Amino acid sequence: MSDKERIESVMSSLGLNARQFATEIHVQPGTISNMMAGRNNPSLEVMKRIMERYPTLNPEWLIAGRGQMWRTEPGKE
């Protein structure tokens, strides 16, 4: 699974579209749009913002695709 596919999985799991997700992680909507279109790979800054916003997200899964997506279910921190 690619970085893009993992980010899409996070958005789907949270029930967010690209614009909502961008707002949640405090990036421009175009940043997410460009990643979803395959024009850009997620930057380290985007990955950090995702991990900061969703602390129960497994960083090893987000970055390397290993393990489970969530350490615990979202909203059950």
Side-chain angles (χ1 to χ4, degrees):
M1 186 180 286
S2 70
D3 293 342
K4 172 191 166 211
E5 291 169 327
R6 286 191 297 277
I7 291 172
E8 286 176 329
S9 293
V10 171
M11 291 178 2
S12 176
S13 175
L14 295 167
L16 300 172
N17 64 34
R19 181 172 293 281
Q20 293 166 324
F21 187 68
T23 299
E24 288 280 314
I25 65 168
H26 303 287
V27 300
Q28 293 295 318
T31 300
I32 302 300
S33 177
N34 286 337
M35 284 188 311
M36 296 302 106
R39 289 187 287 273
N40 297 77
N41 290 321
S43 67
L44 176 59
E45 183 62 28
V46 167
M47 296 300 237
K48 284 171 48 179
R49 287 177 185 235
I50 293 169
M51 290 185 287
E52 287 169 1
R53 174 62 184 93
Y54 304 106
T56 60
L57 187 63
N58 179 353
E60 188 172 9
W61 177 86
L62 181 63
I63 294 168
R66 292 190 296 266
Q68 298 296 312
M69 181 188 306
W70 299 101
R71 294 186 220 186
T72 60
E73 289 299 313
K76 297 184 180 176
E77 297 88 67

